[in-house]
Amino acid sequence: MKKIFSIIALMLTVAAGAVAQTTYTTTVKEGTEDADNWTISPNPTTEGTTVTVTYTGTKKVKSIKAVKKASTVAVTAITLNKTEAILIVGGETETLSVSSVTPEDATDKTVTWSSDNTAVATVDASTGVVTAVAGGTANITATATDGSGVTASCAVTVADMVMTSAGTIPAGKTVVLNGVSGGKITCSGNATIILMGDNTLSSGLQAGPAGTTLTIMGPGSLTATTSERDDAAIGAHGSDNSPCGDIVILGGTITATATGQRGAGIGAGSGLADANCGNITISGGTVTATGGDRAAGIGGGDRSTFGNITITSGVTKVTATKGGSAANSIGYGRRSDDGGTVT
């Protein structure tokens, strides 16, 4: 026989001008016999609403009792001790932690940790200890365990190696430059460079071949110069008859100066040496680029081509200076009209 009981949800007193949005959820107490035969409707509900509790089992029910549980305060925001971290392959670790939880009187301030790319970095779900696995990037996320769904994340970059002197970056590697002084760095293919400390290259930074991407980021600095006639300070090197792919600058303090005749500060070298360049994107950091006599500061060299040049609002400052015989500080160099758009 079906037994029906009615309960009036507790009334909520709201201060003048406030908006009542509180809802109530009715549950059957854990351990109640025949729990699967109880239904509650409507559920959840708001204050003042009649809640109907129906029992369809065979047990004899004398009465039911409504008990209000203590109210809970949900988490609305989480702040971490770091929003970015750099680790090196080989098991290096970083401990992330929660700096603050809003509101201060949140009932449950605990979090669980997770990684969106465990092939690059793993994290202990309870302690927040991050371990580097392989080169690349991963987002480590702290999620409030109170069911509010509130999260906060830290972007972790894992480098494959640390370079303290000039040399060649193998294709597909992420490297940290830390204290490099003098010489030239050549990228064999796709490469990500993380700048730590101050770094100086006296013969420039040669980006990877056409179809690849060189990405530069990090809190450090890089000063790249070249006196080679056909080379860009950062980009394509005509001295090696080497066009380059795309160049992306995400951060750091970067100074690129070409003192030769035909190379840009950042971008293409001499078109006579096939030192053309792909797209150039600058979306962070402080960048200063000076071209050779016939070259732009950023973009084309003498008779060379380049892709699209994009400078976003995320940069701190970009300063480009053309050579004395060049047409533009950003864009075409001398005797060249084959390039992408500049935005």
Side-chain angles (χ1 to χ4, degrees):
M1 179 179 177
K2 184 184 292 186
K3 299 174 178 62
I4 300 174
F5 308 86
S6 295
I7 304 171
I8 302 295
L10 295 171
M11 299 298 294
L12 178 67
T13 301
V14 182
V19 178
Q21 296 180 334
T22 301
T23 59
Y24 295 91
T25 300
T26 306
T27 58
V28 177
K29 183 179 179 180
E30 187 176 349
T32 299
E33 290 187 63
D34 221 8
D36 292 341
N37 286 313
W38 293 88
T39 58
I40 304 167
S41 180
N43 195 29
T45 188
T46 55
E47 71 279 3
T49 303
T50 299
V51 176
T52 301
V53 181
T54 304
Y55 175 68
T56 57
T58 59
K59 304 287 185 180
K60 184 177 181 180
V61 179
K62 294 182 178 180
S63 64
I64 64 171
K65 181 180 180 180
V67 179
K68 179 184 177 182
K69 288 187 175 181
S71 60
T72 59
V73 179
V75 172
T76 59
I78 297 170
T79 302
L80 302 183
N81 63 326
K82 289 188 174 184
T83 57
E84 295 180 329
I86 299 171
L87 300 175
I88 308 299
V89 168
E92 185 178 6
T93 62
E94 175 78 43
T95 300
L96 300 180
S97 61
V98 175
S99 297
S100 65
V101 173
T102 304
E104 289 187 2
D105 61 344
T107 303
D108 183 358
K109 295 183 179 182
T110 60
V111 300
T112 56
W113 299 89
S114 60
S115 169
D116 70 350
N117 192 351
T118 55
V120 170
T122 60
V123 63
D124 187 288
S126 58
T127 65
V129 174
V130 181
T131 302
V133 177
T137 59
N139 290 310
I140 305 300
T141 301
T143 302
T145 56
D146 68 347
S148 61
V150 175
T151 62
S153 295
C154 175
V156 173
T157 301
V158 178
D160 296 288
M161 55 191 287
V162 178
M163 294 180 68
T164 57
S165 60
T168 299
I169 299 176
K173 297 299 184 180
T174 298
V175 304
V176 171
L177 297 191
N178 193 355
V180 175
S181 179
K184 172 181 174 178
I185 288 181
T186 301
C187 302
S188 299
N190 290 319
T192 297
I193 292 175
I194 302 169
L195 302 176
M196 301 292 288
D198 297 326
N199 301 274
T200 303
L201 298 174
S202 56
S203 298
L205 169 57
Q206 182 176 343
T212 67
T213 299
L214 165 63
T215 301
I216 303 173
M217 59 190 293
S221 69
L222 171 63
T223 299
T225 60
T226 182
S227 59
E228 288 284 348
R229 181 187 63 177
D230 296 329
D231 291 359
I234 298 176
H237 280 199
S239 60
D240 293 331
N241 294 307
S242 298
C244 75
D246 297 342
I247 300 170
V248 178
I249 298 175
L250 301 178
T253 300
I254 297 171
T255 303
T257 305
T259 60
Q261 191 177 45
R262 299 171 177 168
I266 298 174
S270 171
L272 296 174
D274 197 30
N276 300 310
C277 179
N279 300 319
I280 302 170
T281 303
I282 304 175
S283 58
T286 299
V287 178
T288 303
T290 303
D293 179 64
R294 300 178 182 179
I298 299 172
D302 184 17
R303 302 189 230 193
S304 54
T305 64
F306 57 91
N308 297 324
I309 300 174
T310 304
I311 301 174
T312 74
S313 59
V315 302
T316 301
K317 185 178 182 180
V318 174
T319 303
T321 304
K322 68 184 182 65
S325 301
N328 302 286
S329 293
I330 300 177
Y332 300 112
R334 180 172 180 256
R335 288 186 288 186
S336 174
D337 59 1
D338 187 7
T341 60
V342 178
T343 55

